[in-house]
Amino acid sequence: MSNELTRRTVLRRAAAAGLLATPAAGLLSACAGSDATSDKGSDTGTKSADNPFGVKDGSTVKVVVFDGGLGTDYAKKDVQIFNAKHANVTVNQSATQKIKTQEQPKMATTPSDLINNSGADIMDTSTLINENAIQALDDLLDAPTWDGSGKIRDSLLPGTINDGTYNGKFYTLKYAYTVWGMWYNAALFEKNSWTAPKTWDEFFTLAPKIKAAGIAPFVYDGVHGYYPRWHVMATVWNAAGKQAVVDIDNLKPDAWKAAGILEGLQNIEKMVKDQLILAGSQGLNHTQSQQAHLDGKAAFIQVGTWYKNEMAKTLPPDFKLTLSNYWDVASPKAAGAVFAGAGEDWVVPAKAENAAGAKEYLRAMLSSEGAGAFASLTKSLASVKGSGDKVDDSALASANTLMKSAPADLISFRFPDFYADYGKESENLCEDLMAGRVDAAGFVSKIQAAADKIAKDPNIKKQTRTN
C-alpha cells in the first residue's frame, strides 16, 4: 500500500507532480542543506530501553492522520496505547484529506511532528527527501519493540523496510500492508457454479457466461490513474518477471520493451476491445466503481485490502467479499506472482519540534496491540508480523490465504516514488489503455518515451533500485 505498495498507497499520488509548482515550494526549499537525520528539538527526556528516543514528560506530539479508506479509529487506539506508557505526554491528533495543502506550507517552519503522508493530496516523497524536509528513520528500525521482543526491524513484514528506503536510508514507515488482487462475490459465484479464474484465458472463457447473466465481467476506477496502474504493473511483472520491473525502475534503455510485456498487456487490450468492462467505468472514481461491484453490476474489481473497510457502510450483508490473485498470462515468467507490500507513509519532518515523541508514537503503532487493533478495525494487515492472526474476517482471511502461497519476490515497483512526473504520465497512459484510447503497443511506446525523457534530463536526480 505503494513503491506503490504504497495503499494510495487509499488516494495517493494524483497531485504529487505539482509539489514544486505550489507557493510552498520556496518554503520547502528552505529546508535544503539541513541535517535530515537530526531532531530539531534537543530538549528530550532521559533515554532508556523503554524510552529509547527520550520523549519528555510534559511535551506534546502533533500527529496528523490521513482520513481515507482506512478511517481514523485505529489512530485513536494508538493514542491510548501511547498514553498507557507516557501518561504525561499529550498527543494532539488531527485528521484531514488535505495533507499537502495543510502540511507542506509548514515544513520549513513549524511542521507537525508526525504526518501520515497519503491520499490524492500527497506531498511527493522524493522531493521531501531531496529537499532534506524529512528525517531518516533508521534509528526507529534499530529501536527495541514496544513489547520488548527484539528490534523493530525484525518485527516488520517483507518489503516494508525496502519500500521505505531511498538512497540507502529509511525515510518512510509504510504502515498498512496491502494485498492487491481481483475481488469477487463468492456467494454469487457459488450460486452460478462459476470458478474464479487463475489465468487470463480462464477469465476470457468465463466472461461470456457472466455477461449472459446480465453482469459486466469487470469494473475499475477510471478517475485515478494509479488504480489501473496496479493492474498494469502486476501484469508486467507476471509476464516479464522481476528483473524487467527493476530495469523499468532504474530507467534502463528500452526496459518497457522487454520480452513478454507487450504480450501481457495485450490481455488488457483484449478485455477492453471485447467490451468486458462495465460501460462508463472510465468516469467512475474508487468508491463509485467499488459500489458498482457491490451492487452486482460487475463480477470483478481489482483493488487492495482496504476495500472492505472503505465500503463497510454499503456492503450488502449477503455479499461474500473474496480476494483472488491477478490472472496469469499465457506464458508467465513469474507465475502466481503476488502483489503485496507496505503503504500508507508516515514521515517525521526534519524540523519537527518533538521528533522523539513522533518516533515513540510510531513505536506504539508498531506494537502487537497497535498492529492487531489496526487489522481488526480496518480489515487490512499492518506491516507488522502477525497483525491479522487474531482477526476473524472472511475477506481478510482470503488475503491471508493468498499471502501464504506467495513467492518470495512480491510484486513491487518504485518509479512513481522516484520520479513524480514519470509517475503522473504513467497514470495518464494507464487510463488511456483501460479506456481504449491507446492499444498495448501504443502504451508501451509512449511510456518508454516518458521514461527516456526522465533518463536524459540531467537536472533530475536519479535513484537506483537494487532488489
Side-chain angles (χ1 to χ4, degrees):
M1 145 193 266
S2 298
N3 102 37
E4 268 302 278
L5 299 177
T6 113
R7 144 88 159 128
R8 317 218 218 312
T9 152
V10 188
L11 294 177
R12 215 180 136 74
R13 291 186 171 83
L19 183 66
L20 290 177
T22 65
L27 294 176
L28 189 58
S29 297
C31 295
S34 64
D35 182 0
T37 64
S38 63
D39 298 351
K40 177 184 177 184
S42 59
D43 186 17
T44 58
T46 302
K47 295 182 180 181
S48 66
D50 207 35
N51 186 11
F53 303 111
V55 60
K56 187 177 181 180
D57 281 352
S59 64
T60 297
V61 187
K62 297 179 182 178
V63 180
V64 179
V65 183
F66 171 63
D67 188 4
L70 296 172
T72 60
D73 287 347
Y74 76 92
K76 296 172 185 175
K77 178 63 176 178
D78 291 331
V79 176
Q80 297 175 14
I81 296 171
F82 180 91
N83 282 139
K85 184 171 288 190
H86 299 287
N88 296 319
V89 178
T90 300
V91 178
N92 183 353
Q93 185 180 95
S94 61
T96 182
Q97 292 188 351
K98 297 293 184 180
I99 297 295
K100 176 181 170 183
T101 300
Q102 177 177 308
E103 296 302 316
Q104 182 179 310
K106 300 185 293 185
M107 291 298 284
T109 53
T110 55
S112 300
D113 299 308
L114 180 62
I115 301 170
N116 180 193
N117 188 35
S118 184
D121 192 33
I122 188 176
M123 296 182 290
D124 177 50
T125 302
S126 60
T127 302
L128 292 175
I129 293 170
N130 292 338
E131 295 290 335
N132 291 327
I134 57 175
Q135 299 186 26
L137 300 174
D138 298 271
D139 53 349
L140 175 68
L141 296 178
D142 291 322
T145 65
W146 190 264
D147 310 291
S149 54
K151 293 183 178 181
I152 285 175
R153 67 168 62 250
D154 299 321
S155 71
L156 302 177
L157 285 170
T160 304
I161 296 176
N162 182 66
D163 290 342
T165 298
Y166 299 75
N167 298 324
K169 292 184 178 181
F170 183 70
Y171 281 98
T172 65
L173 172 66
K174 298 175 182 294
Y175 186 64
Y177 202 83
T178 298
V179 185
W180 282 263
M182 297 294 182
W183 292 94
Y184 65 99
N185 180 5
L188 174 67
F189 275 56
E190 291 164 5
K191 176 183 176 181
N192 290 281
S193 299
W194 297 337
T195 300
K198 295 183 178 180
T199 68
W200 276 100
D201 286 344
E202 291 176 359
F203 168 71
F204 289 130
T205 298
L206 177 62
K209 299 177 183 179
I210 296 174
K211 290 187 73 174
I215 303 170
F218 192 77
V219 66
Y220 74 99
D221 174 354
V223 174
H224 302 106
Y226 45 88
Y227 273 75
R229 185 172 63 197
W230 294 327
H231 196 180
V232 166
M233 293 309 299
T235 303
V236 168
W237 183 292
N238 177 251
K242 174 182 178 180
Q243 188 58 51
V245 177
V246 172
D247 290 343
I248 287 171
D249 288 339
N250 289 338
L251 301 176
K252 183 177 178 180
D254 291 332
W256 280 97
K257 299 179 181 179
I261 292 180
L262 175 60
E263 294 80 5
L265 295 180
Q266 284 173 338
N267 289 287
I268 296 178
E269 178 185 327
K270 176 177 171 58
M271 181 170 64
V272 176
K273 288 185 174 180
D274 289 357
Q275 298 183 342
L276 303 181
I277 298 175
L278 180 66
S281 288
Q282 63 265 35
L284 302 178
N285 64 20
H286 58 298
T287 54
Q288 291 169 333
S289 57
Q290 288 163 188
Q291 190 60 54
H293 182 236
L294 295 182
D295 289 341
K297 296 179 180 179
F300 290 100
I301 187 171
Q302 69 89 36
V303 291
T305 40
W306 65 83
Y307 181 18
K308 183 173 184 177
N309 188 70
E310 186 165 62
M311 305 302 292
K313 293 181 180 179
T314 59
L315 179 67
D318 59 346
F319 199 103
K320 192 175 180 181
L321 195 60
T322 306
L323 181 65
S324 62
N325 202 9
Y326 285 99
W327 307 316
D328 275 354
V329 301
S331 299
K333 288 189 178 179
V338 172
F339 189 4
E344 288 300 300
D345 292 12
W346 288 79
V347 298
V348 178
K351 295 195 174 184
E353 287 285 353
N354 194 355
K359 295 174 185 178
E360 185 71 351
Y361 185 92
L362 289 174
R363 226 172 47 101
M365 288 176 60
L366 294 167
S367 67
S368 58
E369 183 180 4
F374 176 86
S376 178
L377 291 167
T378 67
K379 304 301 183 290
S380 186
L381 299 173
S383 55
V384 179
K385 295 174 182 176
S387 66
D389 289 351
K390 298 180 181 179
V391 180
D392 183 15
D393 179 81
S394 59
L396 189 58
S398 66
N400 280 333
T401 298
L402 183 56
M403 283 301 300
K404 289 178 181 177
S405 63
D409 287 326
L410 299 174
I411 297 170
S412 65
F413 54 99
R414 303 297 303 274
F415 71 90
D417 284 330
F418 290 166
Y419 312 105
D421 289 344
Y422 184 12
K424 184 57 182 176
E425 181 62 17
S426 72
E427 291 181 20
N428 295 337
L429 290 171
C430 287
E431 290 175 4
D432 289 343
L433 178 65
M434 291 298 298
R437 293 188 291 266
V438 66
D439 61 12
F443 173 89
V444 169
S445 177
K446 290 184 177 183
I447 199 166
Q448 184 60 62
D452 292 342
K453 181 179 179 181
I454 298 296
K456 294 175 182 178
D457 190 336
N459 297 316
I460 297 177
K461 185 176 181 179
K462 306 305 189 292
Q463 301 203 50
T464 302
R465 173 180 177 176
T466 57
N467 55 45

